[in-house]
Amino acid sequence: MSIELDATTYVHAKPTTAHSYILPAVVDVLENSFQAANETAVFDLGCGTGGAAAVLAEKGYDVVGVDPSADGIAKARTAHPDLPLEIGSGYEDLSSRYGTFDAVISLEVVEHVYDPKAFSATMYDLVKPGGIAVMSTPFHGYWKNLALAVSGKMDDHFMPLKDHGHIKFWSPGTLSTLLLETGFEDVDFEYVGRIPLLAKSMIAIAQKPH
């Protein structure tokens, strides 16, 4: 059984607060991985209202994106009418519909996903051989979790009362295992927002074999 978050609503189509510290790192990853933006095709899996896709498109990347939220895509089309952003799910056969891409990004999405193995498999199919997947999610490590517990902020962080909140909580080990078991290799991590031990989010960069 797959659960869609198509009831998710958005206040606006601007990049989220998290994007302020995630996107610069993602841009650096893409710039370090590919010679020219205008020769690089990027798929945004879980594009929301298109904020990240718009930033990458402005830098010259050829960006396509999908999101299961009809509200999110409606706002994305209003704010970014020139971007090909459509309703779509990480549980669908998206590679048959869109083809393959040099890079697939998925920013702050996998923590909302009921079936992460199916989601990761879809991501894998969208990446060209030799291409990369770039996935960010809130960071969970021993010292950060300890700090949350000691400071009494554990409930706020895990957001159990929030509609469509986080349902999976990833560490570098578990996220690396997910990507490696999917077929990716050479998984590296960057930590953004605060110092690495207390980072707000982590970014996994994984390569698809040639």
Side-chain angles (χ1 to χ4, degrees):
M1 180 182 69
S2 295
I3 295 176
E4 299 292 354
L5 298 183
D6 56 5
T8 302
T9 57
Y10 294 83
V11 176
H12 54 68
K14 299 177 182 178
T16 67
T17 301
H19 285 161
S20 66
Y21 51 85
I22 294 171
L23 271 178
V26 171
V27 169
D28 285 346
V29 168
L30 294 177
E31 289 179 347
N32 292 332
S33 300
F34 303 101
Q35 291 186 343
N38 61 4
E39 298 175 1
T40 304
V42 178
F43 192 92
D44 188 350
L45 182 57
C47 64
T49 58
V55 169
L56 295 180
E58 289 172 0
K59 293 185 176 295
Y61 294 97
D62 183 12
V63 185
V64 176
V66 300
D67 195 277
S69 170
D71 177 72
I73 293 301
K75 286 183 170 63
R77 288 173 175 169
T78 297
H80 315 292
D82 296 331
L83 289 181
L85 306 177
E86 301 179 349
I87 296 173
S89 166
Y91 301 135
E92 298 173 11
D93 183 7
L94 296 176
S95 61
S96 293
R97 179 176 169 187
Y98 294 100
T100 56
F101 296 77
D102 301 297
V104 178
I105 67 169
S106 185
L107 309 182
E108 308 299 278
V109 175
V110 70
E111 65 274 13
H112 299 275
V113 173
Y114 177 79
D115 188 348
K117 291 182 179 179
F119 184 84
S120 184
T122 297
M123 198 171 190
Y124 185 87
D125 290 342
L126 284 165
V127 180
K128 292 180 180 179
I132 61 171
V134 183
M135 179 184 288
S136 80
T137 189
F139 168 65
H140 294 278
Y142 174 80
W143 289 108
K144 181 178 179 181
N145 288 343
L146 182 61
L148 287 169
V150 170
S151 63
K153 295 182 178 179
M154 192 71 81
D155 285 345
D156 289 340
H157 178 75
F158 284 99
M159 303 185 297
L161 299 176
K162 182 178 180 180
D163 292 343
H164 307 300
H166 300 176
I167 60 173
K168 300 283 186 179
F169 304 94
W170 297 93
S171 69
T174 55
L175 189 58
S176 180
T177 296
L178 174 70
L179 293 168
L180 291 172
E181 289 184 349
T182 302
F184 289 106
E185 59 186 16
D186 300 327
V187 182
D188 293 318
F189 285 89
E190 294 190 13
Y191 301 90
V192 293
R194 307 193 197 99
I195 63 173
L197 284 177
L198 301 175
K200 292 182 179 179
S201 288
M202 59 184 177
I203 301 171
I205 304 102
Q207 186 167 22
K208 183 172 181 175
H210 286 277

